[in-house]
Amino acid sequence: DICIKMLDKLFPEEKEIIYRKFLAMDGIKLDDVLLPKVLILKDDKLVGYTMDNFKDSMPLLDYFGRSRYVDCKDIFTAVKKASLILRDIHSVGIICQDLTFDNILIDNSGNIKYCDIDSCCYNGYMNNFISVLLNRFLFDYRKEDGCKLSTNIDRISFLLSFCLLV
């Protein structure tokens, strides 16, 4: 019932940002987002975390890409559910920042959940990367003075993911 995500590929500074962010996010409840449950620490440093397991699920892109023939209505239904969840995520002040359809899971019943929330932006804690899709289509927003991260980053990523899916 539990998944473990280890952050062994990250630099210590990145782990520290994620640790502070997770502490700030404590108490946030989002039913359709796999949020951290228990932080795994070693020498007071974050090394990973646990979260609920979304059984029998796969990334949205893989789910619809496994068959040659897909009912467009099923795609639109899943994308609509995912966009409503994204609205809930934004309503609590979280910007996904690394939003792709690889980070949105679907099960065989059509239930949707967001995962990989450790890369999100919350309460001023921001990671040093944005989605691969945005890196391909947009400039590096960190190099521009006065450029602000907003929920539009997620909306553009969502739209690009949808275009890739279709």
Side-chain angles (χ1 to χ4, degrees), residues 11-12 17 30 37 46 59 73 80 86 88 101 112-114 120-121 123 130 134-135:
F11 292 110
I17 290 170
L30 290 167
K37 289 228 171 250
L46 182 68
K73 184 179 177 186
K80 180 180 178 183
L86 183 61
D88 293 341
F101 281 5
I112 304 277
K113 292 213 187 255
Y114 278 68
C120 76
C121 174
N123 201 23
I130 55 178
L134 283 178
N135 277 330

Side-chain angles (χ1 to χ4, degrees), residues 5-23 39 41 44-49 97-98 117-121 124-130 135 141-142:
K5 180 162 185 182
M6 300 306 291
L7 304 173
D8 53 346
K9 295 181 181 178
L10 299 179
F11 292 110
E13 313 82 58
E14 293 173 313
K15 291 179 188 177
E16 182 65 23
I17 290 170
I18 292 171
Y19 182 45
R20 290 182 185 174
K21 178 175 39 184
F22 283 170
L23 292 176
L39 303 182
L41 304 174
D44 292 329
K45 305 282 186 200
L46 182 68
V47 294
Y49 60 93
Q97 193 174 336
D98 185 25
I117 204 72
D118 53 11
S119 59
C120 76
C121 174
Y125 297 108
M126 182 170 70
N127 283 24
N128 292 326
F129 51 89
I130 55 178
N135 277 330
Y141 67 90
R142 295 175 306 269

Side-chain angles (χ1 to χ4, degrees), residues 40-80:
I40 303 169
L41 304 174
K42 181 179 181 184
D43 300 325
D44 292 329
K45 305 282 186 200
L46 182 68
V47 294
Y49 60 93
T50 66
M51 61 188 155
D52 288 332
N53 183 14
F54 188 37
K55 293 181 180 180
D56 301 322
S57 66
M58 64 177 61
L60 200 61
L61 199 56
D62 294 345
Y63 181 82
F64 287 111
R66 66 184 176 172
S67 174
R68 185 171 178 176
Y69 301 102
V70 179
D71 187 347
C72 287
K73 184 179 177 186
D74 293 339
I75 292 176
F76 286 115
T77 299
V79 169
K80 180 180 178 183

Side-chain angles (χ1 to χ4, degrees), residues 58-166:
M58 64 177 61
L60 200 61
L61 199 56
D62 294 345
Y63 181 82
F64 287 111
R66 66 184 176 172
S67 174
R68 185 171 178 176
Y69 301 102
V70 179
D71 187 347
C72 287
K73 184 179 177 186
D74 293 339
I75 292 176
F76 286 115
T77 299
V79 169
K80 180 180 178 183
K81 287 178 184 178
S83 67
L84 293 173
I85 296 167
L86 183 61
R87 183 180 63 188
D88 293 341
I89 291 170
H90 288 165
S91 74
V92 296
I94 294 174
I95 299 172
C96 293
Q97 193 174 336
D98 185 25
L99 179 66
T100 66
F101 281 5
D102 288 331
N103 294 336
I104 301 173
L105 305 177
I106 185 169
D107 66 9
N108 289 327
S109 300
N111 299 310
I112 304 277
K113 292 213 187 255
Y114 278 68
C115 65
D116 204 15
I117 204 72
D118 53 11
S119 59
C120 76
C121 174
Y122 180 74
N123 201 23
Y125 297 108
M126 182 170 70
N127 283 24
N128 292 326
F129 51 89
I130 55 178
S131 78
V132 173
L133 285 171
L134 283 178
N135 277 330
R136 290 177 66 188
F137 293 101
L138 299 176
F139 65 96
D140 185 347
Y141 67 90
R142 295 175 306 269
K143 294 180 183 174
E144 296 291 320
D145 290 336
C147 190
K148 301 287 184 192
L149 184 65
S150 77
T151 55
N152 289 333
I153 290 283
D154 288 345
R155 291 182 184 112
I156 293 168
S157 290
F158 197 87
L159 179 62
L160 291 172
S161 294
F162 177 71
C163 290
L164 181 64
L165 177 65
V166 171

